[in-house]
Amino acid sequence: MCQESTKFKNVWTTHSASPIAYERGRIYLDNYQCCISSIAQEPRILYEKPKCSKSEKIEDALLLECPLGEMLPSPSDYKPSLIVLTVQNWLLRLSADSGEILEKIYLAGSFCKFRYLSWDIPQEVMVIKSAQNKLPAAARQAGIQQSILFYLAVFQVLPLSFIGMLEINKKIFGNSVTDVAVSNGILIVMYSMGLVRLYNFQAISEQFMEQPFDLGHEFNWNGQVGVVGKYPFGLPCNIKITDTPPLLFEASSLENAFQIGGYPWHYIITPNKKKHKGVFHICSLKDNALAKNGIQDMKCCSLEPDWIYFHPDMSGRIIHVGPNLIKVLKLKEVKNNTDQTEVAEDFTIVANRENCVNNSVTVTASGRVVKKRFNLLDDDPEQETFKIVDYEDELDLLSTVAVTQIGADGRAHLDFHCNEHGILLKSIPLLESWDVTYSHEVYVDKDLVLHIEQKPNRSQLLFFSSSLM
């Protein structure tokens, strides 16, 4: 990949009126009705299904891969499959290679609309979240109260088994709940004032589980008789939280931005005031103590904010990305004080702005002094600006996309850096124009590069590059 002799060539381009999705060697078009393999030198269609009706529209999807070293009940379980959620509350497991329906589960009736799929534990436990329940305006005017805000359904995968379904009720969690998620065994509840509260989801399941249910089995629940996961009954809401569960942790952060990671465990927040936007505090999860050098502020003057996150390589490091600077930070013990942690710089990657001149005072040929009334923003399109930073786990490379607007066209290049030290190993110019006003995604998958550009009218364009020796 990083040899000087390796060249990348654009081998395929396509358009789509609906969003384009990419998952580990598979490109999905037309709301997942068409699947294209990107593993071959040139893409080939794996399957193409007839156009679906609005009632069969897919809301979200997750790729499910076979676990290693486990005995599974069905031969189809040993091959990758796609879990999809439809607009009518059906959960389908499709063959990733043929699109054939392997399993079909009905989730719930019209009392809730499930919309989002996510992993609690990747490739092990899946969470399905509903849209927020909102009463019609007429009902609100009539004084009718809506206490249930969200529904969550939780499944073990391969084999697909039902763990439980629960309500997020404002009578238990409060009136100002805005969102909820489950991740790594933690129930995360977010509030309108920037508060984030964490609860032990496994403890909640064990304490408030009224009765376990198995998919496909008959049940008699609250006067209803039916089959679990079959139409029209769907899934029983068998986890009833009747009291506020024990609180694990809470923090207040601007826009509910809250992350946990590192070693030892730390969290990142932004103080909950607008003037602190772009300021990040790195604190110990054990005692909430701010780490030494734990306030990270790039002091950017830009339209797009800088962003920060824990490195996905599980090294415990932190990546902080600004318009022209990427800082990879590490946590280490303070000398002579093992109880305190220090944030130190591991390495930096700097945008190439050698040719950028931003003088506030210029002198014309006639000798007249002209003063500029404004300075360029840090992410001005005419200056090279970082747009994407990603980690390629199979190659252990850090990839960056930097863009410079040259006249009417934007020019971008994809760079590969050594993940350990940040050394530039290879730079690949992206030949297609990059419009900074559009949304872009770039995926690096071993020797493949995919660039997805989303235009305002929802039409999308995909550029597919392959390495050639």
Side-chain angles (χ1 to χ4, degrees), residues 29-102:
L29 307 174
D30 302 326
N31 193 234
Y32 293 91
Q33 297 305 296
C34 178
C35 178
I36 296 167
S37 171
S38 63
I39 295 171
Q41 193 68 25
E42 287 201 22
R44 61 182 179 86
I45 293 177
L46 287 177
Y47 64 83
E48 192 166 9
K49 300 165 82 172
K51 190 174 181 180
C52 64
S53 65
K54 285 186 178 180
S55 64
E56 297 172 309
K57 179 177 177 286
I58 292 172
E59 293 283 358
D60 206 354
L62 287 175
L63 183 69
L64 183 56
E65 296 181 294
C66 171
L68 299 174
E70 290 188 27
M71 294 295 291
L72 299 172
S74 170
S76 66
D77 294 343
Y78 290 95
K79 295 182 179 180
S81 53
L82 192 71
I83 302 275
V84 301
L85 175 64
T86 76
V87 73
Q88 295 283 18
N89 283 344
W90 285 95
L91 186 73
L92 310 177
R93 185 165 76 91
L94 311 176
S95 165
D97 294 325
S98 67
E100 175 193 356
I101 296 177
L102 304 174

Side-chain angles (χ1 to χ4, degrees), residues 53-338:
S53 65
K54 285 186 178 180
S55 64
E56 297 172 309
K57 179 177 177 286
I58 292 172
E59 293 283 358
D60 206 354
L62 287 175
L63 183 69
L64 183 56
E65 296 181 294
C66 171
L68 299 174
E70 290 188 27
M71 294 295 291
L72 299 172
S74 170
S76 66
D77 294 343
Y78 290 95
K79 295 182 179 180
S81 53
L82 192 71
I83 302 275
V84 301
L85 175 64
T86 76
V87 73
Q88 295 283 18
N89 283 344
W90 285 95
L91 186 73
L92 310 177
R93 185 165 76 91
L94 311 176
S95 165
D97 294 325
S98 67
E100 175 193 356
I101 296 177
L102 304 174
E103 290 184 80
K104 190 173 183 178
I105 298 166
Y106 186 65
L107 300 174
S110 58
F111 66 88
C112 79
K113 295 291 184 185
F114 282 104
R115 288 292 176 266
Y116 311 102
L117 293 176
S118 63
W119 291 115
D120 171 18
I121 302 170
Q123 302 297 326
E124 291 183 27
V125 179
M126 174 181 65
V127 180
I128 311 170
K129 186 178 81 171
S130 73
Q132 186 170 352
N133 277 0
K134 291 183 180 178
L135 284 172
R140 291 197 300 270
Q141 288 170 1
I144 299 172
Q145 296 292 315
Q146 171 66 278
S147 62
I148 299 169
L149 299 170
F150 296 94
Y151 288 91
L152 298 174
V154 184
F155 285 81
Q156 189 87 29
V157 298
L158 286 181
L160 204 56
S161 58
F162 176 57
I163 295 174
M165 188 159 99
L166 67 151
E167 305 165 346
I168 301 299
N169 195 313
K170 63 170 68 173
K171 292 178 181 177
I172 302 296
F173 293 99
N175 291 324
S176 58
V177 173
T178 57
D179 204 358
V180 64
V182 178
S183 177
N184 292 295
I186 302 295
L187 174 65
I188 305 164
V189 183
M190 286 154 271
Y191 295 81
S192 57
M193 60 281 208
L195 190 66
V196 179
R197 286 180 173 156
L198 309 185
Y199 303 90
N200 185 325
F201 181 72
Q202 185 177 348
I204 289 172
S205 302
E206 292 171 357
Q207 181 181 351
F208 298 105
M209 174 82 73
E210 294 191 342
Q211 183 182 335
F213 289 93
D214 294 323
L215 291 172
H217 287 213
E218 287 190 3
F219 73 92
N220 188 333
W221 184 254
N222 293 336
Q224 282 189 319
V225 179
V227 178
V228 180
K230 299 293 184 183
Y231 184 84
F233 302 103
L235 305 174
C237 195
N238 60 337
I239 302 175
K240 291 280 187 182
I241 304 175
T242 54
D243 196 8
T244 307
L247 182 66
L248 288 180
F249 183 83
E250 73 174 11
S252 180
S253 182
L254 188 67
E255 298 172 351
N256 300 111
F258 176 80
Q259 301 175 65
I260 295 179
Y263 181 81
W265 291 106
H266 278 68
Y267 64 90
I268 303 173
I269 60 168
T270 294
N272 198 10
K273 291 184 178 178
K274 285 187 177 180
K275 68 178 183 179
H276 291 307
K277 190 164 187 176
V279 179
F280 303 101
H281 286 200
I282 302 168
C283 305
S284 168
L285 190 64
K286 182 176 71 173
D287 56 11
N288 296 323
L290 181 69
K292 186 179 178 182
N293 301 326
I295 298 177
Q296 295 295 311
D297 183 6
M298 285 194 176
K299 301 187 186 301
C300 302
C301 179
S302 56
L303 292 175
E304 298 292 330
D306 52 326
W307 70 97
I308 194 168
Y309 59 99
F310 287 100
H311 200 312
D313 71 351
M314 306 302 289
S315 64
R317 294 181 296 175
I318 297 166
I319 298 177
H320 188 184
V321 185
N324 65 327
L325 180 66
I326 300 168
K327 294 166 72 174
V328 176
L329 310 167
K330 60 185 177 182
L331 297 166
K332 64 177 189 177
E333 286 183 354
V334 173
K335 243 181 181 180
N336 304 322
N337 185 358
T338 55

